[in-house]
Every structure is written in structure tokens, then in C-alpha cells.
Amino acid sequence: MSILTSRTTGGVVSISLTTGGSGYTAPPTVAIVGAGTGAAAVAHMAGTMVESVVVAVQGQGYTGNPQVQFSGGGGTGAAATAYAYTGPLQPMTFFKGRSPDLYGVDGMGRGLRWDGALGVAEPIGLHKPSVGPAVTASSASGGQYVKAVQIVSTGTGYNNVPAVTFTGGTPTKSAEAKAILTNGRVTGI
């Protein structure tokens, strides 16, 4: 249970953008400052302003809501508020899916998946703090791999499933993914 405790208490669970600022030519760097360590977030742009801030790593040990600071990117005025979950652990309900994986949903509606082999439970579904594509080291493959993709904007009006393409890096084998459509919106990868 200690693995799940580090994932559910004292971590930054969301960041709400207060104002997008103006004049940004590149996404600014996001710093999360407060009593705690390890939280990280990424700013996403719309034109010359910040459109959203996505939690990449929840961190741990936050006893209150930390401050969000923006730097670089050539613009000014972006502001956001971070929220850390500091309450008690919530009870979890576990269930088995069609695959060998074990799934769980806690009392706050956050989903977790455990494959039965790794020492960690991966956040999924209702609460997914990674950014897409998130890259994580893998000692088994000797390199890095795409671990998760978070949808920042679902879009609208899709009649056919769009192609998902990964660019950048120097992969020895390209990652592949398929979009999931619901009512003309991309709701999953």
C-alpha cells in the first residue's frame, strides 16, 4: 500500500490557469514552488498565450497548495494556481479487466492500473498527470519508450479516426498508437 500512498497524498493533482498572459513565442518553463518536492508541469500554447498547464509529475510531501511560476518563452503575465491533495488516503475498489491487469478506483475517482509485475501502479483514466508523449526510462530495453499520452484538447467534428504520429528523439523502433473517438471527439489514445 505504500506505493499507492506516494501516488495519492501530498502530490500536486491539478493546475488551474488563471490568465494566459501574452507575447509568448515559446512555451514558458513552469516551476512548482512550495513545501514539497518533485512536482513538474508543462505549459501548452495557443497563439502567443498559455492555453493550459498539465501536471507531468505529482511530486510528494506538499502540505499546502504550492505556487506556480512561469519563466522564459518571451512573454509575460501567465498565472496559475496549483492544488495538492493533502487529505487522508481514500478507500479503493479493485476489479479485474479483460487483460491480466488489475484496475482500481479510489474514493476521489482516480483510476489506477497494475500489471502484476512492476512495483508501481500507473495512473489512468479519470486522473492522468502525465503529458504526451511522456517518456520514461526502461532498464529492460536499455533506452526510453513512450509510456502514456495525455490529450490536451479533444477537438470536435471527427468523422474518421485520425492517425497518431510520434516525432522527435532517435527511436530504434517507432512508437505506434491509435486514437479513440467518442461523438466526434478524440477521447483516448
Side-chain angles (χ1 to χ4, degrees):
M1 188 59 90
S2 63
I3 293 169
L4 297 178
T5 301
S6 67
R7 294 276 190 176
T8 58
T9 61
V12 175
V13 294
S14 68
I15 296 178
S16 176
L17 188 66
T18 307
T19 179
S22 63
Y24 290 97
T25 57
T29 301
V30 180
I32 299 173
V33 181
T37 60
V42 176
H44 292 275
M45 302 280 297
T48 61
M49 60 188 285
V50 176
E51 177 183 49
S52 64
V53 181
V54 179
V55 177
V57 179
Q58 289 184 347
Q60 62 185 359
Y62 292 94
T63 56
N65 293 331
Q67 294 181 353
V68 179
Q69 297 175 348
F70 295 91
S71 62
T76 60
T81 304
Y83 299 96
Y85 179 70
T86 58
L89 290 175
Q90 299 293 320
M92 292 196 72
T93 301
F94 291 94
F95 54 94
K96 186 110 168 108
R98 286 188 278 177
S99 66
D101 298 344
L102 180 66
Y103 294 88
V105 178
D106 72 7
M108 293 178 58
R110 294 177 294 189
L112 298 169
R113 179 186 68 83
W114 182 55
D115 68 3
L118 298 176
V120 296
E122 298 295 328
I124 62 166
L126 300 173
H127 179 75
K128 193 170 186 179
S130 64
V131 296
V135 180
T136 303
S138 166
S139 59
S141 66
Q144 295 183 329
Y145 59 93
V146 175
K147 182 177 179 181
V149 176
Q150 179 171 354
I151 299 170
V152 176
S153 176
T154 62
T156 59
Y158 287 99
N159 294 318
N160 297 311
V161 177
V164 177
T165 305
F166 296 93
T167 60
T170 53
T172 54
K173 182 176 186 233
S174 295
E176 297 177 6
K178 182 178 178 182
I180 299 169
L181 289 183
T182 305
N183 298 327
R185 295 178 177 266
V186 176
T187 57
I189 301 291

